Amino acid sequence: MIRDALAVSTGVGPRPLAGGRLPRPVIEIIEREDGLINGAPAAPYLDPPSAWPDHDHRALSRVRGRVLDIGVGAGRIALELQRRGVAVTGLDVSAGAIEVCRRRGVHDLVLATVDEHAAAAGPTYDTFLLLGNNLGLIGGADRALGFLAALAALARPGAQLIAHGTDPYNTTDPVHVAYHRLNRSRGRLGGQLRLRVRYRELATEWFDYLVCSVDELRELVAGTPWRIADIDNADAPYYLATLELAATG
């Protein structure tokens, strides 16, 4: 999908055609376990900084030291950090995303999960980024401890994690409210989504993606090596959570 989005954007390489002539818009299909299906343009994965939401700019203003961009996608954040002279590594589980990042000029890339990268005992980082709503990669309450522990294993003293999240409960849509109720009846957080992503003939496996409130995030972080240092909710229901690695010793 990201390869096709790049081809449509640049006019270089094979791309899907509508009616055999014109480039077809590249649409990411997001399917929820309860049957809800949404579509979103893939083009924003390639957006330049001029098209970013304000919270992305505020996030980058807080970056310090060596950065791990988790869920690098098409590399929009990593490329801007490189332009600013910041040492940044892009991490993703998609080989296609890594390929697109490399073609766009991202220098340092890792094809792995957070756990795999931590187990490799490679470089350590001062700032971790989970932008583009990638706080969801925490997955859920049963995964949060392991995910945050893996980041701590990759962290330098005083490291920070800057994550973009969304409060899922700022809605009266009956479809979403019913799903939150279903999740709670199963012992899950209301906004713990069970999703798969589709594009043309391809589909991912089903996976958990967490959309949580700030209060829920506080509960998830308790008992981990991290503490919440700041919540920026100027763009509510979106928020930026800055976590800091707790001092030891």
Side-chain angles (χ1 to χ4, degrees):
M1 180 189 73
I2 291 177
R3 283 195 297 258
D4 281 0
L6 181 64
V8 169
S9 173
T10 62
V12 177
R15 51 203 186 276
L17 301 177
R21 297 183 300 110
L22 300 176
R24 180 183 297 275
V26 177
I27 302 296
E28 180 178 37
I29 303 299
I30 303 166
E31 182 180 0
R32 202 168 68 188
E33 62 176 327
D34 62 340
L36 181 67
I37 296 176
N38 284 315
Y45 285 108
L46 303 164
D47 274 349
S50 60
W52 293 357
D54 290 342
H55 50 256
D56 280 347
H57 293 284
R58 296 200 301 275
L60 264 62
S61 73
R62 302 180 182 191
V63 162
R64 63 172 183 262
R66 183 168 185 161
V67 177
L68 182 65
D69 183 7
I70 302 168
V72 66
R76 64 183 183 91
I77 298 293
L79 284 169
E80 175 59 16
L81 289 174
Q82 277 185 190
R83 188 191 68 80
R84 299 182 186 188
V86 175
V88 56
T89 298
L91 178 79
D92 211 291
V93 298
S94 165
I98 294 294
E99 175 192 335
V100 166
C101 285
R102 188 169 289 114
R103 286 167 58 187
R104 297 185 75 204
V106 179
H107 301 320
D108 191 9
L109 295 160
V110 176
L111 176 63
T113 66
V114 166
D115 300 81
E116 289 165 347
H117 192 38
T124 53
Y125 304 92
D126 302 286
T127 299
F128 301 94
L129 293 177
L130 285 167
L131 302 184
N133 219 31
N134 273 347
L135 178 61
L137 297 178
I138 286 179
D142 55 345
R143 170 67 182 129
L145 288 175
F147 186 90
L148 293 171
L151 292 186
L154 288 163
R156 294 174 177 173
Q160 61 175 349
L161 165 61
I162 304 171
H164 168 217
T166 304
D167 186 338
Y169 309 120
N170 188 44
T171 181
T172 58
D173 187 322
V175 174
H176 296 307
V177 172
Y179 186 71
H180 298 157
R181 189 181 307 117
L182 171 65
N183 266 340
R184 292 190 185 101
S185 74
R186 300 182 295 179
R188 292 160 65 91
L189 293 174
Q192 186 172 343
L193 311 180
R194 187 70 174 168
L195 305 174
R196 65 178 174 183
V197 177
R198 305 184 67 94
Y199 175 66
R200 305 192 81 190
E201 79 281 16
L202 303 175
T204 69
E205 299 295 328
W206 291 95
F207 62 94
D208 283 342
Y209 192 83
L210 182 62
V211 186
C212 67
S213 68
V214 171
D215 286 343
E216 288 171 333
L217 179 62
R218 292 187 192 280
E219 293 181 7
L220 292 173
V221 169
T224 77
W226 301 88
R227 68 174 189 88
I228 295 179
D230 182 71
I231 298 293
D232 172 352
N233 60 5
D235 299 323
Y238 309 114
Y239 60 87
L240 283 177
T242 301
L243 280 61
E244 292 181 348
L245 189 67
T248 58

